Amino acid sequence: MGGADRAVSVGIQDGRIAVLAAYAQPPPAARTVTLGDDEVLLPGLVDTHVHVNEPGRTEWEGFASATAAAAAGGVTTIVDMPLNSVPPTTTVEHLRVKQDVARGQVVVDVGFWGGAVPDNLADLEPLHRAGVFGFKCFLLDSGVEEFGHLEPEAFARAMQETARLDALMVVHAEDGTFIDQSALDGVRYAGFLASRPRAAEEAAIRLVLDRARATGGRAHVVHLSSAGAVPMLRAARAEGVDVSVETCPHYLTFDAEHIGDGATELKCCPPIREAANREALWAALAAGDVDLVVSDHSPCTADLKQSGGGDFGAAWGGIASVQLGLPAVWTGAHERGRSLAEVVHWMATAPADRCGLAHKGRIAVGADADLVRFAPDEEFTVDVARLRHRNPVSAYAGRRLRGVVRATWLRGVPVDDTPRGRLLERGRR
Ligand SMILES: [Zn+2]
């Protein structure tokens, strides 16, 4: 709490944290829950990078399964990415379609990003007014044809508009001119890694920084893989550019040296890089140069993922991990001497703050009573059959992780399969 561990009694009223009292002097209450000696209370995580895919690709993932997986992983708020569903969230009409489908299905709270694509510049303001948390765009082929990417000039115009709206522009930062399809070599991971070099990320991030600087707009770089971009981001922030950056549990967990050929369950874009790069990402997190960690939960069907002996050129890129982000990051943090309070900052408070959800992601008076009963020292082996997302494929299958979510509360109510989640809109509570 406030970035530290404390012994405390948390009083909840009407779904919000009403009082924080001394542990030995709990406030009077109709009902009391006492944690076990091996448990700690965390604020519910805020995962601002989740692809739900419903409607349109509901066989990949849907609102019921994605939010059930989130709750099982200690995540009480997700913000849905605008692509991979059909329609993508690029107009208010499309946003309403998604909200109508989600309503009545979600067990945690769900917000929506809008999409910035070619030819929808005039839709950004109405989407902003309709309550999206910002806009996601791609600077290269997104992988799905209904969500086009922005060339530099179109990106400049979109960034001008989001700056005018004071909306956050969220960018998939890889530059397609650096992508080398000829390096792909079937099942070999080394070929896939070589096809998406660090330079692709670094050039695209340079463009994002240039546009944020020129417009005074707010930008956020999603799923940073290359630690080589960190000095550039740090320097831009030091001169006042409003940019933030996230990385993901898989970049902090795996390394290219240990990814077997054909292991397409570990294919994502940008790719997982070498162990030395992973350690540099951890150092950047610890130094505050990387702001937050969110899942980029991006599932698909098992056949598209081509698990086991897959071709890296053909397999879908994306790692489904909304349920495993907390134990994965906590496992790595613990091994490196980082604290659970830091993990909570990276995965709950910082993402909530960056997208304007100041009443989420913290144990503080007035915040929503979204809470997690967590056993930080218990270990488990990932069994895909126990994961709640739709398709039982996981890059983490068989992996030993530390930290077990034993219960989750949303606004003070235990989360079960009852759809008590709300659809969130920016600026409204
Ligand atoms: Zn994504």
Side-chain angles (χ1 to χ4, degrees), residues 27-28 30 47 56-57 64 83 141 150 152 158 168 196 215 262 274 289 315 352 382:
D47 191 339
R57 290 192 179 89
L83 73 158
D141 183 3
L150 301 181
L168 189 61
R196 303 187 87 102
T215 60
E274 300 79 1
D289 289 327
V382 176

Side-chain angles (χ1 to χ4, degrees), residues 27-32:
R31 204 171 149 256
T32 303

Side-chain angles (χ1 to χ4, degrees), residues 217-243:
R218 305 163 59 218
H220 176 76
V221 174
V222 294
H223 50 52
L224 180 74
S225 166
S226 172
V230 169
M232 173 176 20
L233 286 157
R234 186 196 303 130
R237 295 212 283 205
E239 61 174 277
V241 176
D242 190 347
V243 62

Side-chain angles (χ1 to χ4, degrees), residues 49-51 81 83-84 136 138 172 222-223 246 269 295-298:
H49 197 151
V50 175
H51 295 265
M81 279 293 168
L83 73 158
N84 299 349
K136 165 83 172 285
F138 276 68
H172 180 122
V222 294
H223 50 52
E246 72 188 34
C269 299
S295 69
D296 193 8
H297 179 77
S298 186

Side-chain angles (χ1 to χ4, degrees), residues 47-344:
D47 191 339
T48 53
H49 197 151
V50 175
H51 295 265
V52 175
N53 307 331
E54 183 175 8
R57 290 192 179 89
T58 309
E59 70 278 13
W60 291 16
E61 186 67 292
F63 283 101
S65 49
T67 58
V75 176
T76 49
T77 302
I78 65 170
V79 186
D80 173 58
M81 279 293 168
L83 73 158
N84 299 349
S85 60
V86 182
T89 319
T90 48
T91 68
V92 171
E93 195 189 345
H94 292 173
L95 172 67
R96 297 303 177 215
V97 169
K98 294 206 67 170
Q99 289 171 324
D100 286 346
V101 168
R103 196 167 287 117
Q105 286 204 67
V106 296
V107 303
V108 301
D109 286 357
V110 178
F112 296 87
W113 295 106
V117 294
D119 306 323
N120 84 331
L121 198 59
D123 292 296
L124 303 189
E125 181 167 0
L127 275 165
H128 179 69
R129 293 191 187 287
V132 297
F133 283 84
F135 297 93
K136 165 83 172 285
C137 72
F138 276 68
L139 299 179
L140 82 176
D141 183 3
S142 74
V144 293
E145 65 178 323
E146 68 279 359
F147 196 93
H149 71 278
L150 301 181
E151 292 291 339
E153 274 187 22
F155 175 63
R157 284 192 295 275
M159 200 68 226
Q160 196 93 48
E161 179 67 351
T162 56
R164 187 181 72 79
L165 298 170
D166 194 29
L168 189 61
M169 179 63 103
V170 173
V171 188
H172 180 122
E174 284 183 292
D175 180 332
T177 61
F178 290 81
I179 304 296
D180 179 10
Q181 298 290 349
S182 72
L184 284 170
D185 184 15
V187 302
R188 286 187 58 237
Y189 188 74
F192 172 62
L193 180 59
S195 76
R196 303 187 87 102
R198 292 157 173 265
E201 280 189 81
E202 290 158 24
I205 290 171
R206 192 168 297 116
L207 176 67
V208 174
L209 296 177
D210 284 349
R211 288 301 103 206
R213 187 183 290 111
T215 60
R218 305 163 59 218
H220 176 76
V221 174
V222 294
H223 50 52
L224 180 74
S225 166
S226 172
V230 169
M232 173 176 20
L233 286 157
R234 186 196 303 130
R237 295 212 283 205
E239 61 174 277
V241 176
D242 190 347
V243 62
S244 51
V245 57
E246 72 188 34
T247 191
C248 305
H250 36 278
Y251 301 124
L252 297 168
T253 301
F254 303 102
D255 61 74
E257 291 90 333
H258 289 92
I259 298 180
D261 291 343
T264 46
E265 63 276 14
L266 285 151
K267 177 182 175 182
C268 58
C269 299
I272 294 165
R273 304 188 189 280
E274 300 79 1
N277 179 79
R278 177 189 61 197
E279 296 313 309
L281 287 175
W282 275 106
L285 261 176
D289 289 327
V290 170
D291 300 273
L292 52 104
V293 183
V294 287
S295 69
D296 193 8
H297 179 77
S298 186
C300 66
T301 53
D303 59 321
L304 287 174
K305 201 63 187 149
Q306 295 203 354
S307 296
D311 180 317
F312 279 98
W316 174 255
I319 291 179
S321 64
V322 69
Q323 188 173 336
L324 295 172
L326 173 60
V329 174
W330 170 230
T331 299
H334 183 264
E335 284 168 5
R336 292 167 180 81
R338 312 312 312 183
S339 71
L340 189 54
E342 287 174 288
V343 172
V344 166

